[in-house]
Amino acid sequence: MANEAAPALIGTSGDSLREAFGKALSALADEFPKLVVLDADIAGGTGVHHFRKSHPKRFLQFGIAEQNMMAAAGGLAAVGLIPVVTTFAVFCLRAVEQARLSLAYTRRNAKIVASHPGLDVGPDGGSAQALEDIAAFRAIPGMTVISPADPVETALATRAILEFEGPVYMRTGRSPSRRLFGEDHTFKIGKGQIVRDGSDVTIVACGVEVARALEAAQKLAGEGIRARVVNMATIKPIDTELLTRCAEETGALVTAEDHNIHGGLGGAVAEALAATVPCPIEFIGMKDVFGASGEPEELATVYGLTAPHIASAAKRAIARKRK
Amino acid sequence: MAAQPANLQKADRHLTVEGRDLETDLARAAAFVRKHSIASIYHAGSGHPGGALSCADVLTCLFGAELNLWATDREDPNRDRFVLSKGHAAPALYAVGAQYGFCGKKDSLRLRKLGSPFQGHPHVLDLPWVETSTGSLGQGVSVAIGMAMGLKLQNKSARVYAMLGDGELQEGEVWEAAMCGAHHKLDNLCAIIDYNKLQSDDRNDNIMRLEPLAAKFRAFDWAVAEIDGHDIAEILKTFRRASATHGRPSMIIAHTIKGKGVPTMENVPQWHGSVKLTREQAEEALISLGAEHSEIRELLDGQ
């Protein structure tokens, strides 16, 4: 499955993760008759305008009132429906406590799908860029947290969360996403995937950073460094088995995420390895600062989330290995 | 019983029980709810007596006469749902549950104890009949909104009831829910405010004014009724009127007395809780509530 040649970057498809999610929801609606979609006046932004058009009766408008929407999802689930709460990641933050009590503590079969995470939001600026959502939702007992990397994986993950019984938080994305995977791609909640093999260092990434990690690995290969890339689309429960294998086989790791370096993917990886196979880890992400307006690629450059940043971090991690 | 249509079951119960003097039955049940609440809070060593006593009559009317909900058929998808949005009144809910067969009378005295399903605030995974977990103010009413929307979507005739505290109305989420319930014309939803005028620290008026309260909900396009929340006949009548409301959710503002039934607690904010009742205070409260010595011993020593 994993070899150095694959997967090739298929280039920008112009298809964002939010679009892939919205289309997938529409396509799955007949197969999941209990599915209802909750919106807070940003269906066009989250991709669920597709669902609104295809299944208007199962599209529930809550207005700009995320706390009520989040808790109401608990009520919809309580009477046997599968509610999918949709809004921007930053607005999910204002309803974290509703997700905690009315979805997670009650173990409802409800899904939260958040678009516009991290710097991927771009020009809307720092106020709109959620850098804390993975940390916040990961800290809620029993909450599954997913961040797919490309449109194909997003569609697969959309099906997977509907088949899964229990509360889930999933991040999509705003900007046009690079296609990483072919139609033969698979997705399983709780399983990371080695998308490029290597033996010197492992780059563990999620979301938009997977494409950048692959770029970084290619760059490192030119310098004679063999970097393994893991697409860790499920951040919770984290794939500890795969992480320990990577730590044993490569001896150093880099984590990369469009999120604060505190409490997100990096935190999850560090927790898992500290308890199993401790090894040097370098963290790529927002370094406990807020973002600003700019195009996502410009912001990634300014805040240190690009392929060259990941490649440098990989070298630092390798240098820290025990001699 | 289960074979009958839901609305017939409800009507039948009204008829049969009314024949046996429904209001006297309910008053007796409400007295039990108050005594049981005091006893469980005494055993727990903490809890909120004031708000449990104020909502006892409305809760008893709901479970004793209004809800199409039966302990013997609790998983019926067509059952009415009740959500205690003011989750800190859990002792009263558990006592009502004990009165109407949803849980044991002795078991539910084990309030707030390690290993007991009767947590300080209701938890649906411990006690499925509480329908959802509450305790964080403002959320229960939103959950009830979701239930009402979901039941309508599935063409079910079941109704949803939610009880809110007055202090709870200071949560912004309540007003999000108020807008949402009216917008979606949730006439299968009936909310009740236990309007005892006091909250944790002081009177509502001194913390954050709620008035004009009825006007607020009318402005949000709810069908609003203001009643004496201790007048059983009026409570029953108002529930029936709410059930017949079309196109709008109903809000019953139940004017109540915090600590109702225990003169030393009535209208005293300090009894909002969470408080520790001494043996003496518990006995005194039970005597005010009309308990005989044998009943006091059973409630306080009978575990």
Side-chain angles (χ1 to χ4, degrees), chain A residues 34 36 38 57-81 94-108, chain B residues 79 81 119 121-126 131-151 153-154 156 171-173 176-178 180-181 183-184:
Chain A
K34 298 286 185 191
V36 290
L38 289 67
K57 285 190 179 150
R58 287 154 66 187
F59 176 86
L60 307 177
Q61 181 59 260
F62 280 82
I64 306 169
E66 294 80 10
Q67 299 175 46
N68 180 54
M69 172 170 69
M70 194 70 84
L76 287 158
V79 296
L81 298 170
R94 78 186 291 150
V96 166
E97 206 240 338
Q98 281 73 13
R100 174 189 180 272
L101 179 73
S102 295
L103 302 184
Y105 184 54
T106 46
R107 214 176 294 144
R108 299 298 187 197
Chain B
R79 71 186 183 278
R81 269 73 168 181
Q119 290 206 50
H121 296 82
H123 184 29
V124 67
L125 298 187
D126 287 340
E131 302 289 0
T132 195
S133 304
T134 52
S136 172
L137 298 176
Q139 290 199 36
V141 64
S142 294
V143 174
I145 291 259
M147 289 174 172
M149 288 174 96
L151 290 167
L153 266 177
Q154 297 174 92
K156 293 193 194 311
E171 286 286 1
E173 183 178 353
E176 296 184 358
C180 185
H183 179 83
H184 289 285

